[in-house]
Amino acid sequence: AKENTAVFTFFGASGDLAKRKLYPSLFKLYQKGYLKDRFAIIGTSRAEWTDEQFEQIVAESISGIKEEAKDQASEFVSHFYYIAHDVTDKAHYAALDELITKLDEQYNVGGNRLFYLSMAPNFFGQIALNLKSEGLITEEGYNRLVIEKPFGRDYKSAKQLNEELTSTFEEDQIYRIDHYLGKEMIQNIEALRFGNTIIESMWNNRYIDNVQITLSEKLGVEDRASYYDTSGALRDMVQNHILQIVSQLAMEQPVAFTDADVRVEKVKALRSLRVYTPSEAAGNFVRGQYDAGDTGNQYREESGVPADSNTETFVAGKLLFDNYRWSGVPFYIRTGKKLADKFTRIDVVFKKPLIDIFAFPQKSDAALQANVLTIYVEPKSGFALKVNAKSTGQGFETEPVNLDFFQDADKEKEVPEPYERLLHDALEGNSTNFASWSEVAYAWKFVDVIRKLWDIEDPNFPNYLPGSMGPVASDELLQRDHWAWVYKL
Ligand code: BG6
C-alpha cells in the first residue's frame, strides 16, 4: 500500500459519526498501510478535553476491530491530538494553525492539510471562511475540505454554502461526502454497465421498460429526531443518495473512468432529469409517515418529534429523463423508515418480447415474463438476471429462472466500509465518488419543487404501518402505469 501523508483536522470530533465511522475507518487504513508514520489527526470540538481523553475516546471507538491489533491500536491512537475550538471565534484558529504546523514538522507530513467537517451544518461556511482569513490554507502541500451532508436544505441555501466554501477552496479541493458512493455495489454499477456489451447495448428505452430503486430501512428515526424532523426522507435520502444512484444508472459512457470524465456525464444526466411543475410533482410523488405498530410508536409520538409533525418518513416517486436514451422510461424510486426490512436494491425491468409465440394464437395464460436485472446492493452483494426458460418435461411451457451471482461471505467481509474507501480517495485526491457542486445543484432544483408543494399541502399522516412497504399510494403510482414494484411483500 502507498503511504499517504497528511494532518487531518476533524471539526465535530466528539460526534457520533466520528466515533462510529471515521476513527474506525482511519484505523483500517492504518492497518493496511495507507497511513503509516507520517500522519497526525487533530480532533476539535467545544468540549475541553485533554489529548489523553481524546485518545481514550478514539481507542474505544476502534476497540471492536480486532483483539490481535492491540499494539497497532495504541500506536495508531498516539497520532491523535485534541484542541478545544469554538468555530465562531477567530482567535481559536491561530492556535489550531500552530498545532497543525507543529505536527506537520513532527511527523514530516510535507504540508498536506485535510479539513473534515462533520458537525452542525450551519457552521460549514463560516469554518471555510475562517480557515482562509486566519491563514490556515498554505501553499506547501495540498489543502482539502471533506464535507458531510446535508449540503444545504434547498437550492438557495446550498448555493450560498457553496459560495462560502469556494471563496476558500477550489471545486477540486472540495470532497462532498455521499456515503452511498462508497458502497461496493454502487461502484459496481459502472463496471456492470461499461464492462459488458450485453448490458450496455440494451441499456436504453428500446429495451428497458422501467427502473426501480429501493432504499428500505427497518429502523425508525431512533435518537435523531432533532435533525430528521427538519429534514424528512426527501432531503435525507432522495436529494443525495437516490439521485446519485439514478445518475450513475442513467449517465452516458464517460470517455474514461476518471473523476473529471465521470462528473461530466453525471451532470449531463441530472440536467436532463425532468423538473416537474407543481401539479406534475403532485401526480408523480407520494409521501408517507409511519404509524404505530408492534415495533413501537408512531412517528409523531417519537421523542423529540412534534405531535403535529408533517415530516415524511417515506417517499416514492417517478422520475423521467428528457433525453434520447431514456425518453419514456420511468425511474421509480422509494425509501422509507420502519419498512419491512433493511436493504437496498435496484431492479431494471426489460420489455417483454413483442410477440409471445408460445402463447400463439392467443392463450389467456401467456407465461413470458419481463427480464429483470436486479442489483443487490445491501445487505448481500450480487446480481440476478431473470430469464424465461422451458419448464422441464413433456409439453412446452415456459417459466422464469434466475441467473445469479452473489459475493461469497469471506470476500464480503473484506469489502471496505464506505468511509474507509472515501477517506482513502480523499487522501489520494480522487473525487470520482464524491458529489460535485453541479450535481448537488441539479438535485436540489429537482427536489425543491416537490418540497415546496409538500410544505403548503397538509398530508394525511400517519399513512403506513411499520413492517409494510409504505403507503398504498406508492403501489398505485406504478399501477397507473400498468406496472408493479418487483420487490413486494
Ligand atoms: C443517511 C441518512 O445518510 O443514510 C439516514 O441520514 C439513513 O437517515 C442512512 O439511515 C442510511 O445509510 P445506510 O448506509 O445504512 O443504508
Side-chain angles (χ1 to χ4, degrees):
K2 177 179 151 244
E3 179 183 6
N4 292 278
T5 75
V7 177
F8 295 76
T9 305
F10 282 97
F11 295 90
S14 56
D16 196 45
L17 181 80
K19 287 188 270 191
R20 266 188 321 115
K21 302 282 185 191
L22 303 178
Y23 307 144
S25 295
L26 287 167
F27 184 48
K28 295 243 174 79
L29 292 177
Y30 181 76
Q31 288 184 306
K32 292 176 185 168
Y34 294 113
L35 291 172
K36 229 165 139 195
D37 305 313
R38 300 172 57 197
F39 76 100
I41 296 172
I42 301 173
T44 78
S45 76
R46 297 183 70 132
E48 297 285 344
W49 290 340
T50 61
D51 285 348
E52 290 69 34
Q53 279 172 305
F54 182 47
E55 287 179 5
Q56 188 54 38
I57 285 169
V58 175
E60 273 162 30
S61 79
I62 62 171
S63 63
I65 292 186
K66 254 190 204 152
E67 262 307 293
E68 64 265 33
K70 279 248 162 68
D71 291 350
Q72 260 184 327
S74 56
E75 257 308 302
F76 171 73
V77 167
S78 74
H79 288 254
F80 282 71
Y81 298 81
Y82 184 80
I83 185 165
H85 184 89
D86 173 354
V87 295
T88 63
D89 186 343
K90 288 197 169 186
H92 285 196
Y93 289 78
L96 178 59
D97 191 30
E98 223 171 87
L99 181 59
I100 298 178
T101 310
K102 186 186 120 205
L103 293 174
D104 188 285
E105 276 165 29
Q106 185 178 329
Y107 289 98
N108 184 23
V109 163
N112 294 335
R113 295 183 170 198
L114 207 146
F115 302 98
Y116 198 116
L117 308 187
S118 99
M119 55 180 305
N122 42 323
F123 295 118
F124 288 170
Q126 193 171 9
I127 296 172
L129 293 172
N130 288 343
L131 287 175
K132 183 170 190 190
S133 69
E134 305 315 300
L136 277 77
I137 305 300
T138 58
E139 297 283 299
E140 224 193 314
Y142 63 66
N143 299 282
R144 291 184 190 145
L145 181 76
V146 183
I147 178 166
E148 277 295 331
K149 63 166 232 187
F151 200 92
R153 44 182 293 110
D154 52 20
Y155 173 67
K156 198 166 151 242
S157 56
K159 184 162 179 277
Q160 192 196 330
L161 169 58
N162 200 55
E163 277 161 11
E164 287 164 356
L165 300 184
T166 50
S167 67
T168 299
F169 295 92
E170 306 282 338
E171 171 68 22
D172 66 2
Q173 296 175 314
I174 303 175
Y175 294 77
R176 296 177 194 80
I177 293 259
D178 185 314
H179 78 282
Y180 265 71
L181 297 179
K183 294 187 191 247
E184 187 73 19
M185 290 307 293
I186 297 299
Q187 299 194 355
N188 223 327
I189 293 172
E190 280 138 331
L192 191 66
R193 286 191 56 194
F194 304 120
N196 296 292
T197 312
I198 59 160
I199 305 279
E200 193 53 19
S201 62
M202 294 189 297
W203 206 255
N204 58 52
N205 55 7
R206 260 182 298 158
Y207 303 108
I208 291 180
D209 188 291
N210 69 88
V211 179
Q212 305 182 4
I213 300 164
T214 305
L215 274 58
S216 167
E217 296 196 85
K218 206 179 166 88
L219 293 179
V221 64
E222 306 303 295
D223 51 8
R224 291 167 76 228
S226 62
Y227 152 72
Y228 193 85
D229 197 63
T230 64
S231 167
L234 186 66
R235 288 193 180 100
D236 188 50
M237 301 290 276
V238 178
Q239 186 274 337
N240 44 16
H241 309 318
I242 290 187
L243 287 178
Q244 280 292 332
I245 297 172
V246 165
S247 71
Q248 286 196 2
L249 290 167
M251 71 179 177
E252 295 300 311
Q253 173 158 306
V255 172
F257 193 55
T258 67
D259 42 11
D261 290 314
V262 171
R263 278 183 171 191
V264 168
E265 299 307 335
K266 283 169 78 176
V267 171
K268 265 167 55 192
L270 289 168
R271 265 191 70 186
S272 48
L273 184 61
R274 186 180 305 171
V275 176
Y276 289 135
T277 62
S279 69
E280 286 171 336
N284 289 319
F285 267 80
V286 167
R287 58 181 156 164
Q289 191 187 70
Y290 61 81
D291 205 340
D294 303 341
T295 55
N297 290 336
Q298 57 170 245
Y299 176 74
R300 285 173 176 173
E301 290 162 349
E302 300 275 26
S303 98
V305 175
D308 59 353
S309 171
N310 282 341
T311 299
E312 78 285 356
T313 60
F314 177 94
V315 178
K318 169 179 168 180
L319 280 56
L320 292 168
F321 286 94
D322 290 310
N323 63 21
Y324 188 74
R325 185 189 283 262
W326 294 118
S327 181
V329 180
F331 281 61
Y332 299 109
I333 58 152
R334 62 180 164 168
T335 184
K337 304 247 181 232
K338 287 253 180 155
L339 298 181
D341 219 335
K342 169 76 185 162
F343 67 91
T344 296
R345 63 185 273 168
I346 301 163
D347 296 289
V348 181
V349 182
F350 289 84
K351 292 188 172 164
K352 287 190 190 178
L354 294 177
I355 296 159
D356 183 349
I357 61 164
F358 309 111
F360 192 79
Q362 280 319 310
K363 219 161 61 175
S364 56
D365 56 344
L368 285 186
Q369 297 196 9
N371 299 129
V372 179
L373 172 69
T374 301
I375 303 174
Y376 293 94
V377 177
E378 272 176 341
K380 38 182 189 174
S381 313
F383 317 115
L385 180 62
K386 191 168 91 171
V387 299
N388 294 302
K390 181 183 172 299
S391 311
T392 42
Q394 282 287 3
F396 204 103
E397 301 295 326
T398 60
E399 64 181 359
V401 297
N402 253 337
L403 309 176
D404 59 29
F405 163 77
F406 288 101
Q407 201 57 269
D408 69 61
D410 286 343
K411 271 222 172 131
E412 194 101 67
K413 274 190 216 124
E414 287 165 25
V415 169
E417 274 263 328
Y419 276 97
E420 180 188 341
R421 205 188 298 260
L422 297 175
L423 276 162
H424 178 250
D425 287 352
L427 281 169
E428 294 265 313
N430 178 353
S431 50
T432 310
N433 291 304
F434 294 84
S436 69
W437 163 241
S438 305
E439 292 160 48
V440 173
Y442 285 116
W444 274 125
K445 284 182 181 172
F446 176 81
V447 158
D448 275 357
V449 181
I450 303 154
R451 186 68 264 164
K452 272 192 199 130
L453 175 79
W454 286 355
D455 285 343
I456 53 173
E457 277 181 6
D458 265 349
N460 193 10
F461 284 167
N463 62 353
Y464 71 93
L465 286 173
S468 70
M469 281 309 289
V472 184
S474 161
D475 296 325
E476 290 167 351
L477 187 69
L478 277 72
Q479 275 157 21
R480 242 179 282 149
D481 297 341
H482 310 287
W483 203 254
W485 292 106
V486 172
Y487 175 88
K488 44 181 167 266
L489 289 178

